[in-house]
Amino acid sequence: MTANDVNVVTSQGVVAGVRGKRTRAGSVSWRGIPFAAPPVAQRRFGAPEPAANWPGVRAADRYGKAEIQRREFTAVAPGKFWPMGEDCLTLNVFAPQRRSSSPRPVMLFIHGGAYLLGTAATPLYDGSLLARDGDVIVVTAQYRFGAFGYLDFSAYSTPERTFTSNNGLRDQVAALEWVRDNIAAFGGDPTNVTVFGESAGGSAVTALLTAPAAEGLFARAISESPALGLVVDAEEAAVFADEFLRLLADPDRKSRTMERTEDPISPEKAQQLLTQASGREIHEASERLSRFAVRAGADAFIPFGPVIDGDYLPKRPVHAALAGQTHRVPLIIGTNKDEANLFAKMMSVLPGADEALLGVKDPEQRAALIAVYNDGHPRANIRMAGDAIFWGAMMPFAEGHMQHSPTFVYRYDYDPKVLRWVGLGATHATELFAVFGAFRMALGVGLAAGEWRNTARITRQVQRHWSVFARTGTPEKQWPQYDDASRSVMVLDVPPHVERNPQSVRREAWHKLHQLVG
């Protein structure tokens, strides 16, 4: 691609991009490119299939649809909501406009949202500034989530129609395959792809590091605030699929148990229900299934997530890492200092101590973990819940992966005054403002108020680490590799610094737990 090219030939046809304006000047974007066929009708709940070719030039100037979810989660501006639909498998490419003498590194981003919500159209995920300032190609992809992407109906397949597990994960693999086959036309290097994501997207990165189908599709990985508990064992996945079908048939159903006492649903009845239901009805049944999972005390606090099916995803990612079974690629992984504050203060969804340790069955293990946090801190439960969801499983994953591949661990501590004033601090997802340069966009200007110099410094710091890592496999030289000897953690702040073996007692307690249950 040259500085004047906006028309690019892909394997499906020609797409016409748009040059950036104002703060995004110096960049080019192509939005809403199909990377798979619409997952509708007979393709609903099935593996992604190749996108159809199109004639002429396709305008790539608008994001594709968001997956069906609550409307408020698709907000892209005050009073403006992004269109939703099942036909959502599109991606977006952002590139610097200036010429390059060699192919650029590629960074494919997977958005978060607890596998329940989110859209690549969210302004925070605009890849223009990261692409321009990091001199990389950025790709953002929309995938299926909720019931559409993460319920396993494979047991209800027939010779006429096959359902597959882990369709959201399969979508992400399909997006990586599209990048492999097409990104060179946009000036990217298909042999140097970094997959990165945040929250559920960071969890997806750890799943991709485990999934056999993803091996060889990326050369590096960045996992931001992964919630490694967002996976579902095969036994619970079967119960969730059964309950979901019954909820589709009877919206007033009030089941409260994971035990199945009713006659099994036949594949023919299941196919009828899953075919005839509208997208909105499927979403509404998904909402009821989420409430059922809480009422019934399921180990999977959220019923949607990658399924440990023994095939497409053989093991829980943290157990695979501890067994040395993740893909051999360099990894950046980390969390934010105040992860849990967002959920405790604004969303009212943070589990209490009992719920946070729901998967810890052994009373002695539960007591040992609670004792680690019983230090009189006024927010001890919030800290423990946040660690249970994010940091507690992330550290064993990092320690397993580091045994065979370069691993770099961070903690994001930067909290501008506005976030401190409202009691959020360096909470969940705030590092994305630095990653994507959003402190300079309308979305982030308010957070940067009175701290323009510091927000510029943290943005430059994080983008340099991310883009240098994408280019070379190591962040900038001041960031040491995580190893058994030092357990060095890069603290991303203004100024940055390195801590050696922070929170060692808590880390060892979580590591022991995951070793025992693995």
Side-chain angles (χ1 to χ4, degrees), residues 65-75 82-86 88 111-113 115-120 122 142-143 145-146 148 279-280 283-284 286-287:
K65 291 179 181 177
E67 178 60 280
I68 297 173
Q69 59 195 285
R70 292 189 191 178
R71 182 170 178 261
E72 59 263 33
F73 295 137
T74 68
W82 204 253
M84 295 180 285
E86 290 184 71
C88 65
H111 72 73
Y115 297 124
L116 289 169
L117 57 99
T119 167
T122 297
Q142 185 64 61
Y143 58 95
F145 47 70
F148 300 98
R280 179 52 56 186
H283 170 66
E284 290 170 352
S286 300
E287 299 259 282

Side-chain angles (χ1 to χ4, degrees), residues 19-36:
R19 292 186 181 88
K21 299 178 181 179
R22 297 179 182 172
T23 59
R24 297 167 182 81
S27 67
V28 186
S29 65
W30 297 263
R31 307 179 192 217
I33 305 173
F35 67 86

Side-chain angles (χ1 to χ4, degrees), residues 151-464:
L151 282 184
D152 181 4
F153 298 113
S154 57
Y156 303 98
S157 297
T158 66
E160 294 74 34
R161 185 175 181 188
T162 300
F163 296 125
T164 50
S165 63
N166 286 307
N167 291 315
L169 188 60
R170 292 173 192 265
D171 293 344
Q172 294 155 14
V173 169
L176 284 163
E177 291 172 336
W178 186 95
V179 166
R180 176 196 62 198
D181 297 339
N182 291 280
I183 206 65
F186 296 84
D189 182 353
T191 69
N192 188 11
V193 176
T194 297
V195 62
F196 72 122
E198 184 271 341
S199 195
S203 305
V205 169
T206 65
L208 290 167
L209 281 163
T210 307
E215 189 169 13
L217 292 174
F218 55 93
R220 333 199 188 283
I222 302 173
S223 177
E224 303 171 29
S225 300
L228 279 101
L230 289 180
V231 291
V232 183
D233 290 324
E235 295 78 9
E236 285 204 338
V239 175
F240 290 147
D242 176 86
E243 183 68 20
F244 180 84
L245 291 167
R246 298 180 192 279
L247 287 166
L248 268 184
D250 178 14
D252 295 324
R253 178 178 168 84
K254 301 295 184 183
S255 175
R256 291 179 177 271
T257 176
M258 296 290 287
E259 298 295 325
R260 302 290 93 180
T261 59
E262 298 146 297
D263 291 337
I265 295 174
S266 70
E268 292 73 23
K269 178 63 174 178
Q271 298 224 4
Q272 178 188 27
L273 288 167
L274 295 173
T275 300
Q276 294 181 355
S278 68
R280 179 52 56 186
E281 288 169 333
I282 288 172
H283 170 66
E284 290 170 352
S286 300
E287 299 259 282
R288 293 192 291 273
L289 183 66
S290 294
R291 294 192 288 272
F292 160 79
V294 175
R295 289 196 308 265
D299 285 346
F301 198 72
I302 295 173
F304 311 110
V307 176
I308 313 306
D309 57 9
D311 178 23
Y312 205 81
L313 192 62
K315 287 185 175 182
R316 285 179 171 260
V318 66
H319 299 161
L322 288 169
Q325 295 171 348
T326 45
H327 303 320
R328 268 59 175 165
V329 300
L331 170 68
I332 286 177
I333 191 167
T335 57
N336 294 3
K337 181 182 66 175
D338 304 309
E339 289 281 3
N341 287 2
L342 176 69
F343 307 99
K345 191 172 183 67
M346 298 186 66
M347 295 185 176
S348 300
V349 297
L350 189 73
D354 289 339
E355 292 84 0
L357 299 179
L358 194 61
V360 185
K361 301 297 186 183
D362 186 275
E364 291 186 10
Q365 294 173 12
R366 291 174 66 92
L369 279 170
I370 291 171
V372 170
Y373 293 86
N374 190 21
D375 58 0
H377 193 283
R379 299 170 68 86
N381 276 0
I382 293 175
R383 290 165 58 209
M384 184 175 70
D387 284 358
I389 296 168
F390 300 105
W391 183 83
M394 184 214 78
M395 289 308 301
F397 187 96
E399 299 210 340
H401 192 78
M402 78 176 182
Q403 300 302 324
H404 59 71
S405 297
T407 300
F408 303 88
V409 177
Y410 74 85
R411 190 181 73 226
Y412 184 83
D413 280 19
Y414 180 70
D415 53 349
K417 293 176 183 177
V418 172
L419 290 178
R420 294 197 299 274
W421 287 339
V422 297
L424 290 174
T427 194
H428 189 65
T430 51
E431 89 288 353
L432 290 173
F433 288 88
V435 171
F436 287 103
F439 288 118
R440 287 173 283 176
M441 301 179 189
L443 181 70
V445 165
L447 297 181
E451 297 209 32
W452 307 112
R453 182 174 297 178
N454 284 342
T455 55
R457 289 175 67 186
I458 194 68
T459 297
R460 188 162 54 248
Q461 176 190 152
V462 172
Q463 288 189 339
R464 281 287 296 170

